[in-house]
Amino acid sequence: MDPHDYTWIFAVGIIASICDAFGIGANDVANSFASSISSGSLTLAQACIIAVFTEFLGALLLGSSTSETIKGGILSVERFAEQPELLMLGMLCALIGSAVWVLSASRYGIPVSTTHSIVGAIVGVGIAAFGGGAIQWGYSGVAKIITSWFVSPVIAGIVTSIIYLPTRFLILESPNSLERGIVAIPLYFFITSVIGVFYIIYKGAPGSGASEMPVGVIVGISFGVATGVTAFAWGFFVKWLRRRIIGKEDLRWYHIPLVHFIKHRPMPSPTETSAVGSTDAEASRELETGTHPEIEEKAVVSTKHCEDSSNDNSAAESPEKENSKSQRLAHIWEMFKYYALRGVRKDVRNIGNAKLRSVHDAAKKFDDDTEYLFSFLQVITACLASFSHGSNDVANAAGPISAIYDTWKNARVDESGSLPVPTWVLAMAGAGIDLGLVMYGYHVMRRLGNGVTYLSPSRGFAAELGASLTVLTASQVGLPVSTTHCITGAITAIGLCNGNFRALNWKVLAWCSLSWILTLPIAGLTAGLLFAFGSNAPNNFIRG
């Protein structure tokens, strides 16, 4: 093989990598934000806006500058040394196999591990290329992944229960729950900040070198940041909460730093807000139906105008032609906006879903004002988890295409087992993740959040914090964990904390468990068959 041979593999690999990144956004990122949206702490549009920045910046700024040539080390890269082109073909088939499975699962709202998908695809390639003996089947390889199916959700569920149950019995079920919650909220900010900062530095910033700091330094930084956040929460946020919730003042979130200097702001009278009532109702209908009447009406009018213009055989003056052209462009633009933003106009909360009414009714409800206190904490945990996710899981899409690019460029296999990840690859993968969430993430959000059990801000906060803490702790002590499995286990534990088995949608959980088991064989079979066809094809067809 010579440098720049098999350019077609590199070109198709870029497309497959974007598709895989799209699937990561539609599945992994979507299940990270599912609890925040289901609890009402964030709208779908707000979550997408936040994730677009946190995921992309996490991938671009903190994404690892190096990546494993073969994810998980389950297949020795040295086996491809004599035929580098086979490594290129294998990574291409792995990307396609992973993308096909993740996108298919996302279509039906089933959360799967994208890491396990790419690993399973590589297992399939390895078996097709060198036989089953080439795969690391022991605990250092495939067995560790199988173990994570059980370890991840169980540990996350236990940690989440430890966080949620004291909150429930000491605050939510107290007669003066609101006052207790306001007093305790700075403590929750402290705990959340310590865990979040430690999580980002110790695990979520592979490209910054911060993870090489001594643990004592990381702990010191975490506690220092958390102390500052807690002081701000005590001095400003608590005051803002008392004025907004107890005093019923018309304060916005951006008033928090200025709360001591803002005069009394009474809520608008009903007559002042009635003018926007119809607009709110229309927006609610759009959210529930996933449609946008205004855009559809414009599109219909524009289409009709275009048809009328095309049927008019009479001579038209130049201004009329220009007007017809502008109408066509307007029609194209409106339709583009409709389909591009269609994914953020879906109702994913499932609050009024008749099929889930019995599940939601089995969960105990608490004071709305007290629950509101935890909305801000939940937004913070969701942002931290998303930022860390972008820096870590971007390697699932960036690693294989980096291997293809390095082999295509140098015509050799880097036997060190790691290779550089170009900045353009991180940016491309980050953009693909964002597009996947915005355009296709609503499927998983709709299924995983309130589709499993009733989620409120306090429940969602406990689930997100429990999942993040589990991923951080377990991965550092060598236990196999998956972010997807952890958040699913955390939400399941929240449902069990209601003390009623009917508070959980066991059918959805069964489908989730089955999908975890099917991830390895389906992704592996798809990638393995593609590799077998490609590697055994006539040489003139393969060589580009």
Side-chain angles (χ1 to χ4, degrees), residues 448-534:
L448 186 59
N450 285 322
V452 175
T453 188
Y454 174 78
L455 288 178
S456 60
S458 63
R459 292 175 168 95
F461 161 71
E464 289 178 357
L465 189 62
S468 298
L469 186 58
T470 301
V471 172
L472 169 66
T473 306
S475 61
Q476 297 308 321
V477 300
L479 293 175
V481 293
S482 164
T483 305
T484 300
H485 300 170
C486 284
I487 191 64
T488 304
I491 292 176
T492 302
I494 290 296
L496 292 174
C497 285
N498 289 298
N500 189 341
F501 283 96
R502 295 180 179 178
L504 281 167
N505 188 341
W506 294 102
K507 182 179 179 181
V508 170
L509 291 175
W511 275 110
C512 290
S513 301
L514 180 62
S515 69
W516 298 347
I517 298 173
L518 294 177
T519 294
L520 283 180
I522 292 182
L525 184 63
T526 304
L529 288 175
L530 287 174
F531 183 85
F533 283 126

Side-chain angles (χ1 to χ4, degrees), residues 171-479:
I171 297 177
L172 297 174
E173 292 192 354
S174 172
N176 58 337
S177 61
L178 179 58
E179 183 60 31
R180 283 195 178 189
I182 292 178
V183 171
I185 207 70
L187 175 62
Y188 281 97
F189 268 99
F190 180 82
I191 296 173
T192 303
S193 301
V194 167
I195 295 175
V197 174
F198 196 91
Y199 186 96
I200 288 180
I201 296 177
Y202 202 51
K203 185 179 188 296
S208 66
S211 58
E212 299 177 1
M213 292 181 180
V215 175
V217 175
I218 299 177
V219 171
I221 294 175
S222 302
F223 273 81
V225 173
T227 300
V229 172
T230 304
F232 179 82
W234 186 269
F236 295 88
F237 187 60
V238 169
K239 177 69 173 179
W240 183 86
L241 286 173
R242 292 188 181 279
R243 290 183 59 178
R244 177 173 173 82
I245 300 177
I246 299 178
K248 305 297 181 184
E249 294 189 43
D250 184 22
L251 295 177
R252 299 288 185 263
W253 63 268
Y254 47 80
H255 292 142
I256 295 176
L258 306 173
V259 68
H260 291 286
F261 309 99
I262 296 177
K263 297 181 179 180
H264 181 73
R265 292 169 58 94
M267 285 288 185
S269 61
T271 55
E272 295 176 0
T273 59
S274 60
V276 297
S278 59
T279 304
D280 293 340
E282 182 179 344
S284 178
R285 286 194 299 272
E286 292 175 11
L287 182 63
E288 293 175 359
T289 60
T291 60
H292 199 298
E294 181 183 354
I295 291 179
E296 291 179 343
E297 182 180 354
K298 288 181 179 179
V300 170
V301 171
S302 178
T303 304
K304 183 177 180 181
H305 180 86
C306 294
E307 292 175 351
D308 292 342
S309 299
S310 62
N311 293 330
D312 186 5
N313 295 322
S314 60
E317 296 181 358
S318 127
E320 293 177 350
K321 291 182 179 179
E322 290 296 328
N323 184 51
S324 177
K325 183 178 180 180
S326 65
Q327 289 288 346
R328 289 192 183 95
L329 292 176
H331 165 67
I332 295 173
W333 174 244
E334 294 296 341
M335 294 302 294
F336 171 78
K337 287 196 300 181
Y338 172 73
Y339 286 107
L341 299 177
R342 181 171 174 265
V344 301
R345 295 194 178 103
K346 296 290 185 179
D347 174 24
V348 298
R349 292 194 65 192
N350 279 325
I351 293 298
N353 193 326
K355 296 180 180 179
L356 298 173
R357 184 173 297 127
S358 60
V359 174
H360 294 172
D361 290 343
K364 187 173 182 179
K365 311 301 189 298
F366 302 105
D367 180 66
D368 289 339
D369 288 337
T370 307
E371 290 281 6
Y372 178 74
L373 301 176
F374 293 89
S375 297
F376 299 89
L377 291 168
Q378 192 177 10
V379 172
I380 293 175
T381 54
C383 291
L384 291 174
S386 176
F387 194 76
S388 178
H389 177 274
S391 62
N392 277 281
D393 284 14
V394 68
N396 293 334
I401 188 59
S402 297
I404 294 174
Y405 173 69
D406 184 75
T407 306
W408 172 79
K409 181 180 179 182
N410 301 307
R412 56 152 178 80
V413 174
D414 188 344
E415 298 184 25
S416 66
S418 62
L419 44 84
V421 179
T423 302
W424 67 267
V425 172
L426 292 175
M428 178 185 70
I433 289 174
D434 288 342
L435 286 175
L437 173 67
V438 172
M439 301 181 68
Y440 219 56
Y442 64 90
H443 290 290
V444 172
M445 291 183 185
R446 179 183 293 161
R447 180 66 64 90
L448 186 59
N450 285 322
V452 175
T453 188
Y454 174 78
L455 288 178
S456 60
S458 63
R459 292 175 168 95
F461 161 71
E464 289 178 357
L465 189 62
S468 298
L469 186 58
T470 301
V471 172
L472 169 66
T473 306
S475 61
Q476 297 308 321
V477 300
L479 293 175

Side-chain angles (χ1 to χ4, degrees), residues 150-160 466 470 474 479-481 486:
F150 310 98
V151 173
S152 297
V154 171
I155 295 180
I158 294 174
V159 174
T160 300
T470 301
L479 293 175
V481 293
C486 284

Side-chain angles (χ1 to χ4, degrees), residues 80-166:
F80 295 95
E82 296 182 0
Q83 290 182 288
E85 61 271 21
L86 285 184
L87 177 62
M88 293 178 63
L89 180 63
M91 293 300 100
L92 171 62
C93 295
L95 282 171
I96 295 175
S98 174
V100 167
W101 169 242
V102 173
L103 289 173
S104 299
S106 300
R107 169 62 183 84
Y108 294 99
I110 300 175
V112 296
S113 172
T114 55
T115 301
H116 292 181
S117 296
I118 193 67
V119 170
I122 292 174
V123 168
V125 169
I127 294 175
F130 308 108
I135 305 299
Q136 294 286 343
W137 296 102
Y139 190 75
S140 60
V142 177
K144 191 172 186 178
I145 294 176
I146 296 176
T147 305
S148 72
W149 298 342
F150 310 98
V151 173
S152 297
V154 171
I155 295 180
I158 294 174
V159 174
T160 300
S161 299
I162 293 174
I163 296 173
Y164 175 69
L165 289 177

